[in-house]
Structures are given as structure tokens and as C-alpha cells.
Amino acid sequence: MQKVWIYLENGTFLEANSFGAKGTTVGEIVFNTSLTGYQEIITDPSYAGQFVTFTMPEIGNVGVNKNDMESSTAFCKGILVRNYHHEYSNYRGESDLCSLLKEHNVLGIKDIDTRYLTKMIRDEGAMMMIASTEISDKEELAKQLAASPRIEDINYIEEVSTKEPYIHKNGAWNHQLLSYNKAVMSDKKIVVIDFGVKRNILNELVESGLEVEVVPSSFNADELIARYEAKEIGGVFLSNGPGDPLTLVKEKEEVQKLIATDIPIIAICLGNQLLSIAHGFDTYKLKFGQHGGNHPVVNNGVVEITAQNHNYNVPDSIVKIAEVTHRNLFDDTIEGVRYNNKNIYSIQHHPEASPGPHDSKYIFKQFAEMVK
């Protein structure tokens, strides 16, 4: 066991114990209210640059395994937990969480009052923090934090996106949608723009009967348009991803080229935000974001329980050019839009959520039908 010292930009200074990687790390602290799925959260590329505080007090008790990785590595800066369990008990468990954190250089902080931290973030908003197993001096930590770039100043997309195109062929591990596949198989390929795509999004797209090609965030819209006109592809998917979407100037310009055509487009999370910005409606930052697996969203009078992970949101003024299809019942923020007179549909929450909930999984069926 090793001590770790934490300094938040509001002046809070804390001491706890560490597990996982060692060192000194700066990032933005947020909280996640999910009761399960800590491995999926830690390996979600959308958490790049952030420390995740788990409100679930017991973490590590089911271990980790290779099938539940949402990406090839973990991009979050660290995690904060009340109680860490090194010994795990689960028939799917292959290793302990500490080993995963060490392998991917993620700092683990335990024996800390996560309820206190969550209430602080709720009241004061997400904020920058520094954590160190090397530096115990409060003033030195404050100095290093002040000298570090803020999360909104860093383009994490370049870090999390694939560097080369590839074909994704795996479906969802539980194969619950195989009967649907046979009914709607499309002979058209879709292209996923990887801004930090979760593996299970790709799985669900394949499971819905689509051929999936993944390309880097530095994609060329003109090439995709030419491929669509040549009937080589049937649609484009804009993925989730980390950071402030307003920093993605080049990506916005390429998306603007896409929306000027009739290519079917669907988007999730960051992709949803990029579509709004590309249409001329800038996003805004939420106070502490939406992170968890228990968020009620209403869709045409039907309530869906959804998984969420975002700090930025589409403005209400988007109603000038789009129909709002989904709203969050916690704070009435926009969760889904369909653009007027266009074959473009986007949502803010995560229908692919693993381990769940799965109320919104029909989104992938809708996109398959759009492409078909």
C-alpha cells in the first residue's frame, strides 16, 4: 500500500491510498453513478483526460477480463473508489483490476470518501485535479496543477482514434440479435468515423446486419462522398469521443461536407455534438456532466433508462432546424434529434451500453433500416 495525495483546483487537499499505476497525473474529475461495469467505464475512450469517481462503493470484486474491454487500452487518468477488492469472484474474471490499471498506466485511488467528492462535484461542477504518489506537498501540487493545460485545451481525439482503417467483424458477445440479422442483412457497408469509438458500438452495428469499416478521425469527407455516390458505402456513423467538441475545427469542416449531401448519418455522443456544431449551433458545457447507467430519457412519451457519458450538450436552439426526439428527464437536456429534410439522426446517450441498460438498443436497428 502506498500513499497518494490529491489536490483539486478549488483548494481541496486530500490523502488516500493508491493501487494500480504510480506517478503524478493531472486531469478533470467527474463522477459515475453506474452500479456495474467498472471495466467498461475505465476502458471507454470518452474518459480520456479524466479521473472517474465511482459512486458504487465496492469496486474490483468481479475482476476484469479481455472480452469487456471497450478499447485496446485505458485512456482515463485515474479512478477514485471507496473500497477496492483485490480478490475477485466471478466466473468470467481473468485478472484483478489493479493489474489492469498498472498495465495501462492508470492511477488507482482507494480508501477515500467518494460520497464527499461526488457532492462536491455536484455542487461546484467538474474541475481539474492532480494526484501523485510522489509529491506530498500541497503547494507543489497546486503549482503543478496551475501550470498544466486544462482538459478543454487538449485534443484527445488524436490520442484515442485509430491510426489506420480496419474492418470490424465481431458482433455482440451474447448474440441476442442474430434472428434480426437474418431479416435485415444489407449489402452496403457503413463507415465509422473513429473519434474514440467504443468496441461495443461496433459490435452492435455488426449485429444489426451491417458491414463496418472504421476510419481515423482525420477522415476525408470528399473520399467518403465519392464512395457513397459509387454505391460502395451506404452510410456514415460519427462515434463518441472525449474532450470539448468546439476544439475540433478540422473535423467540423469535414462533417459539414457530409451533411451537404444525402448520405444517411447517425451519431452518438461526441458525434451528436459535432453534427450540431457543423449545422451552426455550438454546444455548451454542463455543470458536472451526465455519467452513469440510470438516466431516464423520454422518447415520444416512452421512458428509456439509459447509460450516459458526456460533459457537453446540444443547445435548445437546435429546434430551429431539427426535431427533438429524446430528452433527459433529470435536467430536460436534449438527448436526441432528427434533422429536418435530411437522413440524419443523432443521440447523446449510449444505446450500446455494456453491461446495460439496453432500452435504447433499437437505435442500431433504425440505422440499419436507413442504410437499407
Side-chain angles (χ1 to χ4, degrees):
M1 185 180 298
Q2 184 170 353
K3 292 294 183 183
V4 59
W5 295 270
I6 303 105
Y7 181 81
L8 283 70
E9 65 176 316
N10 67 354
T12 300
F13 179 59
L14 302 167
E15 179 183 298
N17 295 312
S18 75
F19 66 104
K22 297 178 175 62
T24 302
T25 308
V26 174
E28 180 183 54
I29 183 171
V30 298
F31 65 83
N32 187 294
T33 58
S34 295
L35 299 180
T36 57
Y38 57 78
Q39 182 182 350
E40 291 90 339
I41 293 166
I42 293 167
T43 58
D44 180 350
S46 293
Y47 280 110
Q50 293 180 319
F51 284 89
V52 182
T53 303
F54 287 98
T55 61
M56 175 62 181
E58 312 296 332
I59 297 294
N61 49 320
V62 296
V64 297
N65 65 80
K66 63 180 183 298
N67 288 328
D68 289 344
M69 297 286 288
E70 286 288 6
S71 63
S72 60
T73 187
F75 294 100
C76 65
K77 294 293 186 178
I79 64 172
L80 300 96
V81 307
R82 180 66 187 95
N83 298 317
Y84 165 64
H85 297 270
H86 189 70
E87 301 295 329
Y88 59 91
S89 177
N90 186 278
Y91 77 99
R92 297 179 66 242
E94 298 172 346
S95 181
D96 57 86
L97 176 57
C98 180
S99 297
L100 177 75
L101 298 185
K102 287 180 178 179
E103 179 183 356
H104 299 289
N105 197 33
V106 175
L107 186 65
I109 300 171
K110 65 176 183 175
D111 304 327
I112 194 168
D113 191 342
T114 51
R115 183 176 177 85
Y116 166 78
L117 289 172
T118 300
K119 292 170 69 176
M120 179 190 299
I121 299 167
R122 179 197 66 188
D123 295 340
E124 301 184 35
M127 64 187 77
M128 296 298 292
M129 65 164 275
I130 183 171
S132 178
T133 59
E134 308 162 320
I135 304 169
S136 60
D137 182 69
K138 175 181 176 181
E139 300 305 321
E140 178 60 25
L141 290 172
K143 179 181 177 182
Q144 290 203 22
L145 179 60
S148 301
R150 300 185 63 82
I151 190 170
E152 54 265 29
D153 298 326
I154 303 173
N155 185 349
Y156 280 105
I157 301 299
E158 297 174 352
E159 178 181 339
V160 303
S161 178
T162 182
K163 301 301 184 288
E164 299 292 336
Y166 65 94
I167 303 297
H168 184 87
K169 296 183 179 180
N170 296 329
W173 72 273
N174 56 10
H175 302 293
Q176 290 180 344
L177 302 182
L178 285 178
S179 60
Y180 168 70
N181 288 358
K182 298 174 183 178
V184 299
M185 284 296 289
S186 169
D187 60 355
K188 288 187 177 179
K189 176 188 292 185
I190 66 161
V191 172
V192 174
I193 312 300
D194 179 13
F195 300 117
V197 68
K198 293 171 64 179
R199 186 168 291 165
N200 206 44
I201 288 179
L202 302 178
N203 292 345
E204 292 294 346
L205 288 169
V206 170
E207 201 76 8
S208 68
L210 296 168
E211 184 179 353
V212 176
E213 177 184 349
V214 185
V215 301
S217 60
S218 56
F219 71 101
N220 184 298
D222 292 329
E223 291 182 3
L224 294 184
I225 293 169
R227 293 180 64 185
Y228 174 72
E229 292 174 345
K231 301 187 183 303
E232 294 178 7
I233 62 173
V236 172
F237 181 95
L238 306 179
S239 85
N240 62 294
D244 186 347
L246 291 175
T247 65
L248 307 179
V249 177
K250 292 187 297 182
E251 293 82 355
K252 178 195 74 172
E253 293 173 350
E254 295 302 305
V255 171
Q256 285 175 328
K257 295 178 183 178
L258 292 178
I259 64 178
T261 70
D262 61 351
I263 299 178
I265 300 174
I266 191 172
I268 288 177
C269 202
L270 178 70
N272 170 57
Q273 299 158 17
L274 268 175
L275 280 174
S276 176
I277 295 169
H279 281 92
F281 295 82
D282 286 353
T283 52
Y284 65 96
K285 188 170 186 177
L286 298 166
K287 183 177 181 180
F288 50 81
Q290 307 278 23
H291 311 277
N294 61 340
H295 290 247
V297 167
V298 63
N299 170 23
N300 293 320
V302 177
V303 176
E304 305 165 16
I305 304 301
T306 69
Q308 309 260 342
N309 178 22
H310 60 280
N311 273 17
Y312 299 87
N313 221 80
V314 170
D316 283 333
S317 56
I318 198 75
V319 297
K320 296 177 181 178
I321 61 167
E323 172 196 359
V324 175
T325 57
H326 299 71
R327 279 196 180 271
N328 190 304
L329 291 179
F330 279 160
D331 59 6
D332 201 40
T333 53
I334 293 175
E335 291 283 350
V337 297
R338 185 184 296 276
Y339 286 87
N340 299 337
N341 305 315
K342 294 182 179 180
N343 212 7
I344 303 176
Y345 184 76
S346 65
I347 57 172
Q348 187 58 59
H349 48 284
H350 286 268
E352 84 295 340
S354 180
H358 299 150
D359 295 16
S360 302
K361 194 177 283 191
Y362 62 86
I363 295 295
F364 296 103
K365 177 180 178 181
Q366 288 184 349
F367 185 47
E369 291 171 347
M370 283 171 59
V371 172
K372 186 179 180 182

